[in-house]
Amino acid sequence: MTAELGLLALIIAFCTAVVLGIVPLYGSIRRHTTCIAVARPAVWVQLVFVAIAYGCLTYAFLDNDFSVSYVANNSNSKLPLLYKISGVWAAHEGSLLLWVLILSGWTGAVTIFSRTVPDDMIAKVLGVMGLISVGFLSFILFTSNPFSRQFPPVTEGRDLNPLLQDPGLAIHPPMLYLGYVGFSVVFAFAIAALITGRLDMAWARWSRPWTTTAWSFLTLGIALGSWWAYYELGWGGWWFWDPVENASFMPWLMGTALIHTLAATEKRGVFKAWTVLLAVFTFSLSLLGTFLVRSGVLTSVHAFASDPERGLFILIFLVIVVGGSLTLYAWRAPSIRSVPGFNPVSRESALLINNVLLVTTTATVLLGTLYPLFIDALGLGKISVGPPYFNSIFVPLTVPLVVAMGFGALCRWKKDTFARLRGDLGMLLLASLLAGGICPLAMDHYSLAAASAGTLGCWAMFTAIRGLWIRATPGRRWQGLARTPRAYWGMTLAHSGIGIFVIGVAFTTIYSTEKDLSMAPGERFSVGRYEYQFDGVQNLSGPNYVAQTGTVIISRDGRLIARLSPEKRRYLVQQMPMTEAGIQAGFWGDFYASLGERLDDRGRWAVRVQYKAFIRWIWLGALLMAAGGLLAASDRRYRTVARAPVREPAAQTTPILSG
Amino acid sequence: MTPLRRQRFILVGLLVLGVSVALGLALLALRENINLFFSPTQVKAGEAPQQTSFRLGGMVVEGSVRRPDDDLTVEFTLTDTVEQVTVTYKGFLPDLFREGQGIVAQGMLNSNGLFEAKQVLAKHDENYMPPEVADALKKAKEMGLK
């Protein structure tokens, strides 16, 4: 019964979404108050019924209801509880249901936290989000019903893909989706503003906290995915430029551009049209991400689902969203008036550089990701684009981005001069050069590349902190800092995170060591300053797998440093082997060991030992960025009632220096 | 120039500069980093490039996997059911590498016609065949029927 109940709830939710997508939009255009009033209750009805449907699917997992094909394909009675819950979003159908649940959740949140927004505006926003729900709910109902039963029912499920049986990956999709779907809010605000034709600074203010929050979740989601790949795939890599990673990275890059241009639009009234366009692109890339991952068009380890009908549906949906928004944009754009005028030396200029670089980066990642698909679709052969392509493009584009970031953090809005900035910039540059130059001295060998990356990372951190310091009034620094708005603290934190990330990436690349060894029990091997001893393997058994656990002892000058237990698991239902790396994490670096395969009958194994220098800094940087984003989104000024007639900043005479 | 003009000028200039530099870089990088895929039949027919890295895919022939030495060197034969190519590889094989499984190897041919793989990829799914390999098998089968 549960499955049927779930389906029924889903159908009711779909009907509600149709009402939500039509009535309030109509009402706001015809100024029909009753129709506008439909919006808020409709949102809640939709949320409740999607939640019921979601609860039903979860119950089917907990209840081991293997007559439901989705449960039978992705669960097993011996599966641990956590993975039964996370199994709901392990494959195509369930993850779409999670998508819609999160979308309904965001829509509900908009009704709660946007009380300061006028009713006719919010009706349009909710209406647009309702239309997106219609798209996704019909997608689920017509092509990917998670509740469909199979006859005859099976007595045991095929188990969850062992790759997904991991706490890190269990929470990775919800985080990622919170980000993807969160961008639908700013998209809806942009579309609503386009419909009204009132692209003032208010819409930027309303959508800013939403965008920053979504961006923070996306950052967390990507970082989690990278962390998971690091310890679960057994290669010790943290980023592979796999199309699926790119699928989540493109909306992140575009979203990063968007949160910055939103700031400029809100504070200074510039880049208005551009900001709207970015909002459309960011959400479109989120949809494209879902499409790439879930339609199975990719030749990738991640693409579990494959069904051309579904792919076609999302593609059409994508065309409607992108095409519709761009048409609306083309119609309305001529009426958008940006407040003109800013100096080449100003924060606006720095943000412009930020945008050009980020958008270009996104475009090149998009090119590299889609190129093989185009070639394949045109029947010109099978190709793949490797990581060297992405690295050779990403690095030269990121370096000027970080340089400009430091510059922008110190610049004033509208008009600034090099003469004013010279002192600060010179001092910070010197400090960064010094700190960056000294860092590699603590490592095995001196590397000029590491020194440059260290300088760049320090530049990002120092300029961010200096910006915060200047902002607090001289004389009463500590009170000044306490009174600095959270948005500014958030920016400082996120920019420092970039610096830490840059250092982490460079030092991991330069100072990590890796060795693939063939080792008999008791054998020792020296890599650099460390000695690795392999102590053979033991058999173990888990709830739904059997494992061989090896022991690798790492010592330096006869002193024990780490004792790692890499595992080779074999999951019983799918008979799938899995590598679990043995890791000893440290602030300055990780010791990492993974087992390959048994090479002979005397217990000789293939063992991979690695030292990953500074690897934690990569995720620490990402964490700081996400924390900074959340802090900024919680700033008090977004919660205060918008001052009714929006000030046109051109009338202001005092220079504004704020985040 | 009015401030508005100047702003537009900077904007357009930066955009054009950024996009053209990026496009140049991207195309250059794409040209150097594309990996073409070939099946054993294509390799035997001499279609695959010499001295250049490419991807080779097929099924691992049953009983063909052997380790000549104590180190991590492994040799195996890939087939698309028509032709076979022997692959040598030193390093870690992926979890799902096994005889009878479809895999993709990246590397280049040496002068003896042996494929020296730098990387071996297998898919993380029980019934999953890399799409290129599935395609190559289908083509080989069609050729065999003719």
Side-chain angles (χ1 to χ4, degrees):
Chain A
M1 265 314 283
T2 333
E4 284 68 31
L5 199 69
L7 189 60
L8 187 69
L10 215 51
I11 293 169
I12 297 174
F14 172 72
C15 297
T16 320
V18 171
V19 172
L20 177 63
I22 296 170
V23 178
L25 274 175
Y26 172 83
S28 72
I29 292 164
R30 297 271 155 179
R31 307 209 173 279
H32 200 296
T33 343
T34 325
C35 287
I36 289 178
V38 168
R40 287 173 197 261
V43 168
W44 290 101
V45 173
Q46 185 197 319
L47 176 57
V48 166
F49 280 97
V50 171
I52 290 174
Y54 189 84
C56 287
L57 190 59
T58 310
Y59 181 79
F61 267 86
L62 298 180
D63 195 33
N64 295 321
D65 186 354
F66 298 128
S67 66
V68 177
S69 7
Y70 185 72
V71 181
N73 286 333
N74 293 294
S75 186
N76 183 276
S77 53
K78 291 199 182 60
L79 191 66
L81 178 70
L82 170 68
Y83 302 127
K84 280 186 179 166
I85 296 170
S86 74
V88 174
W89 58 74
H92 175 79
E93 291 88 345
S95 59
L96 279 172
L97 191 56
L98 179 70
W99 219 101
V100 174
L101 178 70
I102 292 175
L103 179 59
S104 310
W106 276 104
T107 319
V110 171
T111 63
I112 296 175
F113 295 109
S114 293
R115 298 219 179 275
T116 57
V117 184
D119 265 352
D120 66 324
M121 178 74 178
I122 217 67
K124 287 196 191 77
V125 172
L126 297 177
V128 172
M129 295 185 79
L131 287 176
I132 301 167
S133 294
V134 170
F136 270 87
L137 282 166
S138 53
F139 184 39
I140 295 178
L141 287 172
F142 297 126
T143 74
S144 336
N145 176 12
F147 296 108
S148 69
R149 301 235 186 215
Q150 57 183 21
F151 294 99
V154 289
T155 48
E156 188 54 284
R158 286 179 50 198
D159 206 3
L160 182 64
N161 187 325
L163 262 183
L164 307 180
Q165 296 189 28
D166 173 84
L169 205 69
I171 48 171
H172 162 68
M175 282 295 156
L176 208 60
Y177 283 11
L178 273 170
Y180 275 176
V181 184
F183 286 134
S184 71
V185 182
V186 63
F187 172 78
F189 267 105
I191 295 297
L194 278 177
I195 296 173
T196 2
R198 242 191 24 227
L199 274 162
D200 48 22
M201 288 141 76
W203 91 269
R205 164 178 292 232
W206 293 326
S207 31
R208 258 187 100 182
W210 298 102
T211 318
T212 317
T213 310
W215 177 87
S216 301
F217 281 122
L218 189 57
T219 311
L220 281 179
I222 295 174
L224 269 172
S226 148
W227 181 51
W228 167 82
Y230 168 71
Y231 68 72
E232 187 72 20
L233 295 182
W235 310 335
W238 59 276
W239 191 261
F240 306 99
W241 292 110
D242 185 282
V244 174
E245 290 169 319
N246 295 347
S248 64
F249 193 45
M250 289 185 286
W252 187 88
L253 287 170
M254 202 57 110
T256 311
L258 177 63
I259 54 180
H260 289 91
T261 161
L262 267 175
T265 304
E266 189 220 352
K267 295 271 184 188
R268 303 293 311 157
V270 291
F271 310 146
K272 280 178 184 164
W274 177 240
T275 306
V276 172
L277 207 56
L278 278 185
V280 171
F281 283 157
T282 304
F283 183 60
S284 304
L285 284 171
S286 299
L287 287 181
L288 183 73
T290 314
F291 165 68
L292 285 177
V293 178
R294 289 299 168 193
S295 67
V297 295
L298 299 170
T299 55
S300 146
V301 280
H302 293 64
F304 302 114
S306 55
D307 194 333
E309 191 185 61
R310 292 168 178 172
L312 202 64
F313 190 105
I314 310 189
L315 207 57
I316 292 170
F317 186 55
L318 201 63
V319 168
I320 293 174
V321 171
V322 180
S325 332
L326 290 185
T327 313
L328 189 65
Y329 176 80
W331 180 39
R332 288 294 195 184
S335 66
I336 304 172
R337 285 276 170 272
S338 279
V339 178
F342 56 83
N343 250 30
V345 182
S346 66
R347 187 173 280 183
E348 284 94 327
S349 289
L351 289 177
L352 192 63
I353 297 172
N354 154 308
N355 267 252
V356 171
L357 290 171
L358 280 170
V359 172
T360 318
T361 311
T362 317
T364 50
V365 174
L366 188 70
L367 179 71
T369 310
L370 296 186
Y371 191 66
L373 298 179
F374 279 126
I375 294 295
D376 194 14
L378 294 174
L380 295 175
K382 303 263 183 197
I383 60 157
S384 66
V385 176
Y389 162 77
F390 294 101
N391 289 335
S392 67
I393 282 186
F394 193 70
V395 176
L397 282 170
T398 314
V399 172
L401 183 68
V402 179
V403 174
M405 185 181 87
F407 176 75
L410 293 173
C411 258
R412 287 179 180 165
W413 288 107
K414 192 168 181 186
K415 193 173 180 191
D416 210 331
T417 56
F418 266 121
R420 190 189 75 84
L421 290 167
R422 197 181 295 137
D424 261 338
L425 289 176
M427 184 195 74
L428 289 166
L429 185 65
L430 200 67
S432 310
L433 276 169
L434 214 62
I438 288 171
C439 286
L441 288 177
M443 310 299 292
D444 297 346
H445 58 98
Y446 196 86
S447 147
L448 220 54
S452 324
T455 306
L456 194 66
C458 289
W459 167 257
M461 283 188 276
F462 293 170
T463 47
I465 293 164
R466 175 72 185 159
L468 184 72
W469 190 248
I470 297 174
R471 203 176 184 286
T473 349
R476 283 172 296 165
R477 288 265 187 234
W478 299 112
Q479 284 159 298
L481 282 182
R483 236 179 283 133
T484 301
R486 284 189 198 172
Y488 206 94
W489 278 99
M491 181 183 96
T492 310
L493 211 57
H495 284 182
S496 309
I498 298 262
I500 288 176
F501 174 80
V502 166
I503 295 175
V505 171
F507 279 52
T508 300
T509 313
I510 296 166
Y511 291 113
S512 293
T513 54
E514 177 184 325
K515 200 89 190 159
D516 290 351
L517 303 165
S518 154
M519 291 182 109
E523 209 172 324
R524 285 157 177 252
F525 201 94
S526 292
V527 183
R529 295 176 297 179
Y530 301 103
E531 194 174 54
Y532 296 82
Q533 182 180 328
F534 178 59
D535 275 0
V537 295
Q538 285 179 315
N539 292 325
L540 281 174
S541 60
N544 51 354
Y545 62 85
V546 290
Q548 286 163 307
T549 308
T551 306
V552 175
I553 292 166
I554 303 165
S555 54
R556 183 178 164 185
D557 308 329
R559 206 159 48 82
L560 178 82
I561 294 210
R563 187 188 189 89
L564 307 179
S565 315
E567 275 182 27
K568 198 78 180 176
R569 289 183 184 171
R570 192 160 49 82
Y571 282 82
L572 296 169
V573 179
Q574 301 194 355
Q575 285 295 317
M576 190 193 269
M578 282 289 303
T579 302
E580 295 281 322
I583 300 172
Q584 169 144 315
F587 186 73
W588 302 110
D590 284 12
F591 291 97
Y592 187 109
S594 48
L595 286 178
E597 64 205 294
R598 202 169 72 182
L599 301 174
D600 62 18
D601 298 333
R602 293 163 310 191
R604 182 176 283 277
W605 278 74
V607 182
R608 169 176 291 175
V609 289
Q610 302 186 72
Y611 178 70
K612 308 292 289 185
F614 281 75
I615 185 102
R616 301 278 144 186
W617 287 46
I618 293 173
W619 304 303
L620 179 68
L623 268 180
L624 285 178
M625 290 180 224
L630 290 175
L631 195 65
S634 71
D635 196 300
R636 189 190 297 146
R637 62 203 212 83
Y638 298 123
R639 279 168 296 172
T640 52
V641 179
R643 276 150 281 180
V646 178
R647 302 166 297 148
E648 284 298 312
Q652 286 176 337
T653 48
T654 47
I656 298 174
L657 193 87
S658 55
Chain B
M1 257 194 286
T2 63
L4 182 67
R5 280 262 174 85
R6 190 163 57 192
Q7 182 189 334
R8 292 237 168 107
F9 187 73
I10 296 167
L11 189 107
V12 171
L14 275 175
L15 270 175
V16 169
L17 189 76
V19 170
S20 45
V21 166
L23 204 71
L25 276 173
L27 291 178
L28 196 73
L30 255 189
R31 213 177 51 191
E32 281 168 11
N33 294 299
I34 281 176
N35 302 307
L36 295 161
F37 177 89
F38 292 96
S39 68
T41 306
Q42 286 173 304
V43 171
K44 282 283 146 94
E47 288 175 35
Q50 307 283 328
Q51 318 294 337
T52 312
S53 176
F54 65 93
R55 288 184 162 205
L56 170 75
M59 310 263 286
V60 182
V61 175
E62 299 276 350
S64 73
V65 180
R66 48 183 221 98
R67 294 184 179 276
D69 305 306
D70 243 7
D71 67 1
L72 293 172
T73 310
V74 58
E75 263 183 36
F76 54 90
T77 309
L78 282 185
T79 181
D80 56 3
T81 66
V82 176
E83 291 288 353
Q84 297 190 339
V85 172
T86 303
V87 179
T88 136
Y89 173 67
K90 186 175 180 185
F92 260 47
L93 291 169
D95 281 342
L96 282 181
F97 179 92
R98 62 178 90 153
E99 294 177 349
Q101 169 94 15
I103 65 120
V104 173
Q106 166 120 28
M108 58 175 90
L109 286 170
N110 69 10
S111 47
N112 306 327
L114 223 62
F115 188 80
E116 286 178 2
K118 286 241 159 25
Q119 204 183 9
V120 174
L121 308 160
K123 295 288 165 177
H124 259 294
D125 188 325
E126 191 62 1
N127 312 311
Y128 199 64
M129 184 71 84
E132 302 101 323
V133 176
D135 198 48
L137 288 180
K138 211 175 84 194
K139 279 199 189 127
K141 200 174 164 192
E142 281 163 7
M143 270 175 50
L145 290 175
K146 269 179 202 159

